[in-house]
Structures are given as C-alpha cells and as structure tokens.
C-alpha cells in the first residue's frame, strides 16, 4: 500500500467490484477508456482476481482512497507496461465529488516512486483529449510534458478532437 498525506493507493479487493463496475459502465468515462459496450459484474470480478501482477498482465490498477478510509474515491491505472523499455501509460479517475482537493496530484506523486523504485519504470506517458483542460493541468503540474499531438484523432460524435501526448521521465 502506498500512503501519502491525503490518499493511499491500495490494490483492488473483491469488495471493490461494484464501485469498479459503476465507473467502467458510466458513459461519461467511456470517451477516455474507449469502451463501447458495458462490462458485466462477473467480468469485473475476474479482472479484480487476475489483475494483481503487472509483469504478468502488463497493467495494474490501484484504488485511490483517503488516508483514513479505505472506501474508493478513484483509481489509478498503469497500462501498456513494457518491461524491456521500462515504460507504462498512466490513467487516473477521481469521482466528481472528490475532484479539486489534491487527491489526483498526490496519487500521481505516489505512483512515481512505486513505478521507478519497485517496478523499474523510467518513463510514464498519458494521452489527453484537447478539451480536457483539467487533466492537462493536472499532468503538467505533476511534471509531465507535452511530446506530441495526434491531429483529429478522436471522434466525439460532434467534432474531431486532437489527442495530446504527455510524458514524464522519472530518471
């Protein structure tokens, strides 16, 4: 478990299945996760049971909770883990009522130390749509720099949006 002043990052537990199912099946989150169909509770339960070894499944999900409460307020994902190249993508979700309180910023800080010193990741990256200025500000504040832009990359059914690529070199 990774513990900061405001939040802790803990592994997924079986009791998280309903919360993860809620997040994964929330249409508002689908545009950033590229989800097209809802997940079943059984599928989420299987994911929780099998998603504990980043070296085996090339991803890891942490539940974000407040330090004094294990209830989930968000999640942080490491994905597309490439051990040879020592890199992984990072994604973060904070429930709306907990946004703007510094939880995401601290969670990103906690994952840096874990990524570098436990897993051996030297580079973290993320991709953020151009209209998600809150996430852009969060990742820039966390030390990520813009390294590229995919032009007209995402169809939001109203317009085509650019996707901005960010990277953080840990060493």
């Amino acid at each position: 478990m990774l513990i900061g002043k405001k939040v802790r990052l803990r592994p997924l537990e079986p009791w998280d299945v309903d919360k993860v199912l809620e997040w994964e099946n929330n249409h508002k989150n689908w545009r950033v996760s590229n989800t097209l169909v809802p997940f079943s509770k059984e599928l989420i339960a299987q994911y929780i049971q099998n998603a504990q070894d980043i070296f085996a499944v090339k991803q890891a999900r942490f539940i974000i909770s407040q330090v004094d409460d294990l209830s989930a307020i968000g999640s942080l994902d490491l994905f597309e883990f490439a051990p040879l190249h020592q890199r992984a993508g990072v994604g973060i979700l904070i429930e709306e009522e907990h946004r703007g309180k510094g939880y995401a910023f601290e969670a990103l800080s906690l994952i840096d130390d874990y990524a570098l010193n436990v897993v051996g990741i030297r580079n973290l990256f993320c991709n953020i749509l151009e209209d998600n200025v809150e996430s852009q500000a969060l990742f820039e504040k966390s030390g990520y720099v813009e390294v590229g832009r995919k032009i007209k990359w995402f169809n939001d059914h109203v317009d085509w949006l650019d996707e901005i690529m960010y990277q953080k070199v840990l060493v």
Side-chain angles (χ1 to χ4, degrees):
M1 203 172 312
L2 307 169
I3 301 174
K5 293 179 180 172
K6 295 181 179 185
V7 301
R8 72 175 68 215
L9 301 180
R10 64 170 177 80
L12 287 163
E13 296 289 353
W15 67 75
D16 294 316
V17 69
D18 289 328
K19 183 54 77 176
V20 173
L21 184 67
E22 176 187 325
W23 293 333
E24 293 293 342
N25 287 340
N26 182 336
H27 290 224
K28 292 179 183 176
N29 299 331
W30 284 14
R31 76 190 298 246
V32 295
S33 65
N34 292 317
T35 301
L36 298 175
V37 296
F39 288 93
S40 70
K41 188 171 186 175
E42 181 179 348
L43 190 61
I44 296 295
Q46 289 174 0
Y47 170 76
I48 289 173
Q49 182 178 5
N50 297 320
Q52 300 303 319
D53 183 359
I54 190 170
F55 288 94
V57 297
K58 305 300 183 224
Q59 64 182 23
R61 177 171 288 185
F62 296 86
I63 292 296
I64 302 169
S65 66
Q66 296 175 21
V67 169
D68 56 352
D69 183 358
L70 291 179
S71 300
I73 63 167
S75 66
L76 187 145
D77 293 299
L78 294 176
F79 59 91
E80 295 180 21
F81 173 52
L84 176 64
H85 303 293
Q86 297 176 297
R87 67 176 174 239
V90 62
I92 193 162
L93 172 108
I94 300 289
E95 291 189 319
E96 287 186 38
E97 62 268 22
H98 297 286
R99 292 179 186 166
K101 299 177 181 173
Y103 299 142
F105 179 76
E106 186 173 76
L108 287 172
S109 297
L110 290 171
I111 208 63
D112 286 353
D113 183 61
Y114 169 83
L116 180 62
N117 296 314
V118 176
V119 184
I121 294 171
R122 298 170 55 92
N123 287 283
L124 292 172
F125 67 89
C126 65
N127 299 311
I128 304 172
L129 294 175
E130 67 180 316
D131 65 346
N132 191 346
V133 293
E134 293 86 3
S135 286
Q136 292 170 37
L138 167 66
F139 279 89
E140 288 171 5
K141 180 179 176 184
S142 297
Y144 287 73
V145 295
E146 183 177 334
V147 294
R149 183 177 285 254
K150 298 173 187 173
I151 307 299
K152 307 279 186 215
W153 192 256
F154 183 85
N155 180 2
D156 75 348
H157 304 291
V158 175
D159 198 6
W160 287 89
L161 300 173
D162 292 358
E163 184 176 83
I164 304 168
M165 300 177 294
Y166 287 90
Q167 179 181 352
K168 183 175 187 178
V169 179
L170 298 176
V171 290

